[in-house]
Amino acid sequence: MDSASNTPTPGLRQKLIIAAIVVTALLALFGLSTLHERTASEMQARKNATALAFEKAPEQWLAHPREASEFERALQAKDVAAVGVSGGLVLYTDRAGHPFSTRLIDCGLGCKNEIGSRLGELSVAQGFALTDIDVDARTGGQRLFQSLERAGSALAPLLVMLLIAGPLVYLQLRGPLSQRTRLADKPKTRFDDVIGADEAKKALRRVAAFMKDPKQYAAVGAKAPRGVLLDGPPGTGKTLLAKALAGECGASFISVDGSYFSSMFYGAGIGKVKELFKKARDAAPCIVFIDEIDGIGRRSNGKEAGGGGGEQEQNRIINRLLVEMDGFSSLENVVIVGATNHIDNIDEAMRRPGRFDLIVRTAMPTVPERQQLFGLYLGQIKAATGMDLPSIARTAAGMSPADIANCVNRAAAYAAEAGEVHVSEERVYQSLETHQLGGEVSNSKDVITPETLRRIAFHESGHALVAHVLEAGSVERVSIEPRGPALGVTYVTRTHEEPLYGERELRSRLAMMLAGREAELIAFGNASSGAADDLKRASELATNMIGSMGFGKTFGLLSMAGVPKELIGPDVQKSVLDEARALLESAQAECRRVLEEKRDRLDALTELLLGQETVSGAPLKRVLMGEPTAA
Ligand code: ADP
């Protein structure tokens, strides 16, 4: 049964909310005006007859204005029968019954002629009536104008609030799904467009087969897939896979993200879930893709700090989502695909059978996959032919497919900026460096003196030569262009992606890290601060080798990581540090031996770098192998 059938639809519900707001506002206004009338009539009832006479038709008195001096003269002549005072305004009636009005002038502190202060005493002496009155001396037009002006200034903040909040309220209450989601009718993406992710594709192919022919599966009693969770680092193709799934089975694709359901208004999030599922059912076969589903996927038990209405709303949204998923029939042909890179944040209830019970993982690409990705994206732009893709792919270590797509795009932008017709390998490397080193070529280039540049060139050449000779990896590229925080860079990549590092490889890496500083010492007789980061990384590796990897005598097979801290006394710490230091010193000795033995290659690479700033590919290989370089 459709559980949504006996509850108001989202549209009706919104209208009901608006109607309730309007009725409440009207009732409040009515209540206020009744109260105001009642207060006014109570006050009137307590007034004396003279005051009431003045207040009833003050216009009669106001129509005969007199000078204050005339009023004073009338008082002196004892020709006053009644006086009403409203601030500085005085209404008075003479003994003949003529009505007059005047304004008393404040003639200053201690003023002898002050009439106002003597009125009480004169009233007793002469026997005329004296009373306080509440009279407004303004004309009708003035009154209307000023009350409009006052209302305007009181309403101004309200108007501003309405202007700001109005559109928000409108969007929250109305915001049709089509405006807030990307409704891509039947994407053309296929699994073949997704590079790598073989396991994920295999799992999703099964879902696609089901969606293509749900009847066949239902006939043998197979349960339809309802929810798939794609788990993996950002940019590894989760959205692409979901689109490909829709593309493979000719389904519609609706995409939202977890935050889409959160709303300022209690209950609106649930309305959005219902609306989304209705759209999906209408568009079936359909894939609903919820990106960053952990945004709604974590239910709170209400005991956590900061629990409140927001969390309750969150729980209600999750419940609604699950109710909707449970309500799917086998033939409804809607599959919800959620993407996350925090699978642990997804509520257990969401992962139960019949809900998001298929978990598909995506991972960072391997070297061959990176090579294919570069091939794919370079194929979509005007790229030069004959690029060394294996080397580019190795250099792109740690980059996701999305990073690679971006990198190629940036390379094309560099080429366009330089007015080139093709995107060269150099542009791809330039873009890779921008990504890897976190910045474009920095301004520090202009302030580097020729001597410092020479030092940087020796430093980088040292790294490259030792890495090459001791086989710490494949040296892809050396550059002395400062980027981000780095003054120069040497790309050394592993030729394989073995998960294990042998002791020999680790020692070679230590030597490679120290080689920059050692080359400076050989060339200049002193070192610089430029080696600080190298030393930090080398120290980390050396202490790990001794303390955690079992390459030292002090700890032997014990690992610092596994031994409680309180058992590691200062003597043990000292021994580990001494051993790590000895390891670094032996790496340093090996490094110096290589550099001294191959001094000619060190000098040749330095000169090449000073000449062209960046050396890579075949010229780099030649100079590292000690072959003559083309001048
Ligand atoms: P995620 O959803 O995991 O954050 P996306 O699917 O949004 O990642 O990937 C962003 C972009 O990166 C895609 O549009 C596509 O251009 C590219 N991309 C990601 N993964 C792949 C892949 N496996 N094969 C080809 N291109 C990919």
Side-chain angles (χ1 to χ4, degrees):
M1 200 190 84
D2 183 0
S3 54
S5 58
N6 47 10
T7 46
T9 61
L12 181 59
R13 187 193 182 99
Q14 287 150 14
K15 280 177 198 145
L16 285 176
I17 294 174
I18 293 170
I21 293 171
V22 171
V23 169
T24 316
L26 285 175
L27 282 176
L29 269 177
F30 177 71
L32 271 178
S33 74
T34 317
L35 194 66
H36 180 258
E37 271 172 31
R38 208 175 130 185
T39 318
S41 68
E42 278 172 2
M43 281 172 69
Q44 286 297 99
R46 289 184 189 173
K47 288 198 172 164
N48 61 54
T50 319
L52 283 175
F54 279 122
E55 286 178 7
K56 200 171 168 197
E59 300 78 26
Q60 291 178 29
W61 281 266
L62 292 169
H64 303 101
R66 290 289 178 270
E67 304 288 335
S69 53
E70 277 185 64
F71 174 50
E72 197 167 1
R73 271 199 298 279
L75 281 172
Q76 278 164 7
K78 299 189 178 138
D79 187 22
V80 173
V83 176
V85 182
S86 173
L89 176 73
V90 173
L91 307 186
Y92 66 98
T93 313
D94 67 8
R95 298 258 176 215
H98 298 122
F100 300 107
S101 66
T102 187
R103 287 198 171 272
L104 294 183
I105 303 154
D106 186 357
C107 68
L109 199 64
C111 177
K112 285 263 164 42
N113 298 326
E114 186 76 71
I115 318 170
S117 57
R118 289 188 291 122
L119 276 176
E121 158 199 335
L122 287 172
S123 135
V124 175
Q126 299 182 12
F128 62 80
L130 175 67
T131 181
D132 256 337
I133 54 171
D134 188 9
V135 165
D136 188 348
R138 291 171 304 168
T139 64
Q142 272 177 326
R143 259 200 301 272
L144 183 66
F145 178 75
Q146 283 175 359
S147 54
L148 280 178
E149 203 178 38
R150 223 175 296 138
S153 62
L155 285 177
L158 201 66
L159 277 174
V160 172
M161 267 174 62
L162 268 178
L163 278 177
I164 296 172
L168 278 177
V169 172
Y170 178 80
L171 275 181
Q172 288 286 332
L173 286 179
R174 275 215 57 222
L177 192 69
S178 50
Q179 274 178 15
R180 312 285 319 279
T181 60
R182 282 147 280 159
L183 187 64
D185 241 5
K186 325 250 184 220
K188 297 205 170 25
T189 319
R190 294 287 181 273
F191 285 137
D192 283 348
D193 298 326
V194 185
I195 286 173
D198 291 334
E199 269 180 51
K201 283 195 257 183
K202 205 165 142 193
L204 292 178
R205 273 206 174 93
R206 253 177 265 135
V207 179
F210 207 115
M211 289 189 79
K212 270 188 211 159
D213 193 358
K215 280 195 197 121
Q216 189 196 337
Y217 284 80
V220 292
K223 287 229 159 58
R226 303 257 166 84
V228 179
L229 268 185
L230 291 174
D231 171 35
T236 48
K238 298 184 290 295
T239 314
L240 197 66
L241 277 166
K243 263 194 195 154
L245 172 62
E248 288 285 340
C249 42
S252 313
F253 183 73
I254 297 180
S255 160
V256 295
D257 66 40
S259 62
Y260 163 77
F261 301 103
S262 52
S263 166
M264 295 193 268
F265 296 104
Y266 192 72
I270 289 155
K272 288 181 181 177
V273 178
K274 288 187 199 165
E275 199 185 351
L276 178 66
F277 277 79
K278 184 177 175 311
K279 280 258 163 183
R281 284 192 171 97
D282 292 348
C286 180
I287 299 291
V288 176
F289 179 66
I290 308 179
D291 203 4
E292 293 176 29
I293 194 166
D294 41 295
I296 49 160
R298 180 163 217 173
R299 189 200 301 266
S300 81
N301 53 15
K303 288 178 199 149
E304 288 167 21
E311 283 184 4
Q312 275 179 23
E313 174 78 342
Q314 183 96 337
N315 290 347
R316 277 159 45 95
I317 291 173
I318 298 174
N319 287 342
R320 188 70 235 172
L321 191 77
L322 297 179
V323 165
E324 293 282 351
M325 285 178 83
D326 291 345
F328 280 150
S329 77
S330 294
L331 296 177
E332 231 153 352
N333 226 356
V334 175
V335 172
I336 314 295
V337 179
T340 178
N341 50 352
H342 304 285
I343 190 108
D344 299 338
N345 285 354
I346 305 287
D347 191 72
E348 272 303 315
M350 289 181 78
R351 297 204 244 160
R352 283 207 203 110
R355 296 170 175 177
F356 290 96
D357 51 3
L358 176 61
I359 297 180
V360 172
R361 291 181 210 279
T362 59
M364 295 298 266
T366 58
V367 177
E369 284 167 358
R370 290 202 296 268
Q371 189 174 329
Q372 280 186 56
L373 284 160
F374 272 106
L376 172 76
Y377 288 111
L378 285 169
Q380 294 174 4
I381 59 168
K382 278 197 169 177
T385 48
M387 284 197 202
D388 186 354
L389 287 186
S391 164
I392 293 177
R394 283 196 301 270
T395 312
M399 285 170 73
S400 72
D403 292 334
I404 292 176
N406 257 342
C407 173
V408 172
N409 196 34
R410 191 171 39 231
Y414 287 154
E417 278 162 26
E420 294 157 359
V421 283
H422 285 114
V423 180
S424 63
E425 184 172 310
E426 186 51 36
R427 294 290 172 210
V428 177
Y429 270 113
Q430 192 186 344
S431 173
L432 266 175
E433 275 169 14
T434 304
H435 175 89
Q436 305 258 19
L437 302 178
E440 305 278 346
V441 173
S442 70
N443 290 342
S444 58
K445 192 175 178 177
D446 304 332
V447 295
I448 293 175
T449 60
E451 195 181 339
T452 302
L453 199 62
R454 194 166 190 81
R455 184 182 282 276
I456 297 169
F458 264 109
H459 185 110
E460 297 308 326
S461 302
H463 283 310
L465 186 60
V466 171
H468 172 78
V469 174
L470 297 182
E471 294 175 353
S474 163
V475 185
E476 309 288 347
R477 185 175 165 90
V478 191
S479 169
I480 55 168
E481 270 194 315
R483 276 166 192 279
L487 294 175
V489 61
T490 302
Y491 283 106
V492 179
T493 63
R494 291 181 89 200
T495 41
H496 51 80
E497 292 206 324
E498 287 281 335
L500 300 180
Y501 288 83
E503 184 178 357
R504 180 69 240 150
E505 187 179 354
L506 290 172
R507 283 179 180 271
S508 302
R509 289 181 81 85
L510 274 183
M512 172 190 79
M513 289 176 196
L514 300 176
R517 184 175 189 274
E518 218 47 37
E520 286 186 45
L521 282 170
I522 288 177
F524 299 96
N526 55 55
S528 71
S529 63
D533 193 51
D534 296 334
L535 294 182
K536 178 172 162 257
R537 286 186 302 130
S539 306
E540 269 166 19
L541 177 56
T543 22
N544 272 337
M545 285 173 72
I546 301 299
S548 310
M549 297 180 196
F551 294 126
K553 292 188 195 75
T554 313
F555 254 111
L557 298 182
L558 281 173
S559 161
M560 276 200 296
V563 177
K565 279 209 176 65
E566 56 273 20
L567 297 182
I568 306 177
D571 49 332
V572 180
Q573 290 174 12
K574 184 175 179 311
S575 310
V576 171
L577 289 180
D578 284 348
E579 265 198 86
R581 191 172 161 177
L583 189 62
L584 284 175
E585 280 167 2
S586 94
Q588 183 189 24
E590 192 168 13
C591 171
R592 176 164 277 261
R593 177 185 60 75
V594 170
L595 291 174
E596 279 174 350
E597 257 177 33
K598 318 268 190 254
R599 174 68 198 255
D600 51 337
R601 300 189 200 179
L602 181 69
D603 291 341
L605 182 53
T606 303
E607 292 312 320
L608 207 58
L609 273 174
L610 286 171
Q612 56 190 56
E613 287 193 330
T614 300
V615 188
S616 64
L620 178 61
K621 290 269 172 311
R622 272 201 299 277
V623 74
L624 288 174
M625 300 214 291
E627 293 168 9
T629 51

